[in-house]
């Protein structure tokens, strides 16, 4: 089970390696200007779930500047693939640089578009059968419809793990209700805080039971 291991990062800041990219973004967003990266505290929970699942295929909905993309991709086994979807072209362009700086281009495929259009095309366009891990971090109103769409498109298999950010703040009540009451999911809440603040937030980890 993913526990909350103390997650400390000691990296050589002078090299553009994933740890230093993560550290630089966290330092900037904590001290200069808040931004909606999953952040270091929730990021450690994300790390432990990624390490536990050890996924060969990952889908991230909501790339933003690529912070969580780098957090996930740095932990993936050699031939694993992460597809990340971003609606906003401006932030997607930034994310491409962040991912390149971290030296993770080979593991990451960044796609620009809307999840509702993209999800039904994944199988034939990207040759993915099912996802071992999905990180939901885009628009809260889309968590539930996109989850139902992934089920309908056969993108989830017995044991697929959904990990959703911001289930408390800004909140995704309809999604929470669904995964917590559906017999097809085993769901667990990891209490944490809104990135770089003391406000409560958390991640919901839901295992698809098939
Ligand atoms: O829209 C979002 N997509 C993905 N992640 C988010 C997030 O982590 C946030 F903290 C927030 C957020 C924004 C403003 C607030 F006052 C609180 C949370 C928003 C998003
Ligand atoms: Mg988020």
């Amino acid at each position: 089970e993913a526990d909350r291991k103390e997650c400390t990062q000691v990296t050589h800041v002078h090299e553009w390696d994933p740890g230093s990219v993560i550290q630089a973004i966290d330092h900037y967003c904590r001290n200069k200007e808040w931004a909606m990266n999953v952040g270091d505290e929730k990021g450690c929970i994300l790390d432990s779930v990624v390490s536990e699942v050890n996924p060969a295929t990952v889908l991230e909905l909501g790339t933003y500047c690529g912070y969580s993309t780098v957090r996930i991709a740095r932990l993936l086994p050699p031939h694993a693939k992460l597809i990340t979807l971003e609606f906003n072209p401006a932030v997607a362009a930034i994310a491409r640089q962040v991912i390149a700086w971290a030296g993770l281009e080979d593991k990451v495929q960044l796609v620009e578009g809307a999840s509702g259009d993209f999800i039904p095309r994944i199988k034939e366009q990207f040759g993915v059968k099912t996802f071992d891990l999905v990180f939901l971090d885009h628009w809260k109103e889309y968590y539930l419809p996109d989850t139902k769409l992934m089920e309908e498109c056969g993108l989830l298999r017995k044991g697929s793990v959904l990990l959703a950010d911001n289930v408390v703040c800004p909140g995704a009540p309809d999604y929470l209700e669904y995964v917590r009451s559906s017999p097809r999911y085993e769901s667990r809440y990891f209490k944490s805080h809104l990135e770089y603040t003391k406000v409560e937030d958390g991640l919901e980890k839901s295992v698809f039971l098939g």
Side-chain angles (χ1 to χ4, degrees):
E1 194 51 25
D3 55 358
R4 260 172 284 190
K5 297 192 278 298
E6 218 8 73
C7 166
T8 53
Q9 291 243 331
V10 179
T11 59
H12 305 287
V13 181
H14 64 279
E15 291 161 17
W16 280 111
D17 66 298
S20 66
V21 171
I22 291 163
Q23 210 168 42
I25 294 171
D26 282 329
H27 185 271
Y28 182 82
C29 296
R30 186 175 290 286
N31 298 293
K32 300 277 186 321
E33 184 185 4
W34 188 90
M36 60 178 176
N37 315 116
V38 72
D40 43 358
E41 190 180 329
K42 288 187 287 180
C44 280
I45 301 166
L46 172 62
D47 289 357
S48 54
V49 172
V50 173
S51 301
E52 177 204 352
V53 175
N54 199 34
T57 55
V58 185
L59 174 63
E60 176 180 62
L61 297 175
T63 315
Y64 191 43
C65 295
Y67 175 90
S68 50
T69 320
V70 167
R71 278 205 89 107
I72 297 167
R74 86 191 200 287
L75 298 176
L76 294 182
H79 305 292
K81 291 286 173 219
L82 193 174
I83 299 176
T84 182
L85 180 72
E86 176 53 50
F87 179 72
N88 179 327
V91 294
I94 293 166
R96 290 188 199 283
Q97 293 178 62
V98 170
I99 293 158
W101 275 340
L104 293 166
E105 308 98 309
D106 299 351
K107 294 181 183 295
V108 176
Q109 181 146 23
L110 197 165
V111 181
E112 294 178 36
S115 51
D117 305 336
F118 168 73
I119 288 169
R121 299 201 189 110
I122 292 174
K123 275 196 191 262
E124 92 252 15
Q125 260 186 0
F126 297 91
V128 169
K129 288 189 180 53
T130 57
F131 287 106
D132 302 323
L133 174 66
V134 181
F135 182 50
L136 296 94
D137 193 26
H138 52 334
W139 295 115
K140 318 307 147 204
E141 305 78 33
Y142 295 168
Y143 281 20
L144 183 52
D146 285 350
T147 297
K148 289 180 174 173
L149 194 52
M150 286 188 284
E151 289 173 14
E152 286 153 24
C153 296
L155 287 167
L156 304 179
R157 46 103 178 144
K158 187 173 169 43
S160 290
V161 173
L162 304 185
L163 189 65
D165 188 25
N166 310 117
V167 293
V168 167
C169 177
D174 58 345
Y175 173 79
L176 278 188
E177 164 60 28
Y178 179 73
V179 290
R180 289 175 176 175
S181 60
S182 164
R184 303 183 74 187
Y185 291 92
E186 181 60 42
S187 213
R188 175 183 167 189
Y189 175 61
F190 289 80
K191 185 166 187 260
S192 185
H193 294 94
L194 181 67
E195 46 267 35
Y196 318 116
T197 79
K198 292 185 166 42
V199 174
E200 183 183 340
D201 189 23
L203 303 174
E204 187 82 359
K205 178 192 171 199
S206 308
V207 183
F208 186 61
L209 303 174

